[in-house]
Amino acid sequence: MEAVTKLDVDAVRADFPILKRMIGDRQLAYLDSAATSQKPVQVVEAMRRFTEHSNANISRSVHTLGAEATEAYEGARARIAAFIGAPSADEVVFTKNSTEAINLLAYAFQNGSLDPSADPRFRLGPGDEIVVTEMEHHANLVPWQQLAQRTGATLKWIGITDAGRLDVDSIPEVITERCKIISFVHVANLLGTVNPTSQITARAREVGALVGLDASQSVPHLPVDVTELGVDFIAFTGHKMLGPTGIGVLWAKADLLEAMPPFLTGGSMIKTVTMEGTTFAAAPAKFEAGTPPIAEAVGLAAAVDYLDQLGMENVRAHEKELAGYMLERLETVDGLTVVGPRVPIGRSATVSFTLEGVHPHDVGQVLDAEAVAVRVGHHCAKPTCVRFGVTATTRASAYVYNTHEEIDRLVAALGQVRKVFG
Amino acid sequence: MNLDELYQEVILDHYKRPRGAGLREPYEGESHQVNPTCGDEITLRVHVDGGTIGDVSYENVGCSISKASASVMYELVNGATVDDALARLSEFTELMNSKGQSEGDEETLEDAVAFAGVSKYPMRVKCALLGWMAFKDALVRAEASIPGRTDA
Ligand SMILES: Cc1ncc(COP(=O)(O)O)c(C=O)c1O
């Protein structure tokens, strides 16, 4: 079965020293990449080389290091633009993470709503509607809730079916002529659902709404091409795609970036400043106030190089294989219920579940004693938990370096949980 | 990692058979506490009768550590004087903050010394303290309401 995937997992694992880590007397089985991925030596090395050799602030100094740092940072932007199929590097805005990228977008609407001369696409008020889904990470829910509260717009959402899929039948009803922005998750971090985008983008075109995609869990795991997706914005975060923490991306179409009011203001984002007022630089600089995460951008570019070398189609195939195996093996555990799609179609290798009579915290603790690292809790998706009538789940998530054997260890460790809690 | 040390028999027993569970009347103070990282919740009521804790009643969802801790707390503070209950609260809090360096005094903490092992697991200390935090808060509210009480 493994022959169908073209990933040489042993070779991949050799690039991740942390996977050799012992927890107690057992080797780590890291099944928590949906929370954050591990980083290969290539990423750490690229950041170290930059820091030791070329570190300087960007776009400010004429000295050699300043020029090298600027080139490294802008080179990283171009690298990431190519990775997601963006027509221009200027459409890539670096942020701190996905959360900041989504806030940048939500604040463009908020600031636009306060400015009568702003582009009407970014002006919201009572009667306007914002649409999300019931399966959002809090990062793609709370900023929109706040925006709705502050502008008087109405927040609506597309529900979830019992099978853990978006209720696409309700799309025409939820997304109306009043809708100005739809922001939804591409791959859900609790359920593992991969959402189809075409029905939503088609409906958005019909009603003239903009579309944002929270791609935090898709860009790391699937080939993502922004022109093929036909959306207006995507957000993703470096640390979930083999890159460092402290860097994320907002991609947006050039004409939208031009129309959007800035979020954070200050140095590096201006054209001219007087005591009376300021004019802003063109995008992406307009959205990158202050000294950006420079070494982190270099690290993210190295992560993207690494993923490209593996081939995103191969990454997807490897994870599809692991998702199928994980679902099949978990179904054999007594009292275990998968929360989310139960078939490896249209889903990621992130599987949430409950174990009858045992709280996820206790599951996670026993698994840790077996050196199996999973996440437990509400996974920053409380409304999804409520939808499925649970307060928390245990979630195992796989990535390029995970093996069938690690999934076997997860299943064996779940047997251990039963022993402790009877 | 020694699981037996964390999941002592006493803890599993309180988890499976929680003492004093359920919300009851009368009460003067009520508190609702949540652990935002894991979603565990407790609603707890305190009834103060003269200088003693007349009843502690609670409803909670959570892991074995947070549920067992609430149950053990019930046994320790129910019927105790307010002063003794507060002394147990600070003793238990100190034990939880001991990072595995303290065994706890069985004379005063009774079953609660079983939680000494929990203090080595920083991610679980909050679970063990959730019920106690609710008790502390509910007691403050109860005491604040007492001077105005007419039915005492
Ligand atoms: C779907 C989704 N959106 C947004 C985020 C937020 O990412 P970050 O915390 O890096 O901003 C996450 C990560 O937890 C996620 O899984």
Side-chain angles (χ1 to χ4, degrees), chain B residues 1-22:
Chain B
M1 193 132 309
N2 185 355
L3 273 186
D4 294 341
E5 175 188 82
L6 182 66
Y7 294 124
Q8 304 233 351
E9 272 311 313
V10 183
I11 293 181
L12 291 176
D13 182 59
H14 276 274
Y15 172 51
K16 287 171 190 158
R17 298 187 304 116
R19 327 288 200 261

Side-chain angles (χ1 to χ4, degrees), chain B residues 61-115:
Chain B
V61 287
C63 64
S64 58
I65 302 296
S66 76
K67 294 191 87 163
S69 177
S71 170
V72 166
M73 177 185 76
Y74 168 82
E75 288 199 321
L76 274 181
V77 301
N78 197 37
T81 65
V82 170
D83 288 345
D84 277 351
L86 287 173
R88 295 299 87 75
L89 166 70
S90 53
E91 225 181 313
F92 188 75
T93 309
E94 199 177 303
L95 178 63
M96 284 302 97
N97 291 333
S98 73
K99 301 190 165 69
Q101 297 308 302
S102 163
E103 288 179 358
D105 182 353
E106 201 164 352
E107 282 292 301
T108 48
L109 282 179
E110 301 174 25
D111 278 0
V113 295
F115 288 84

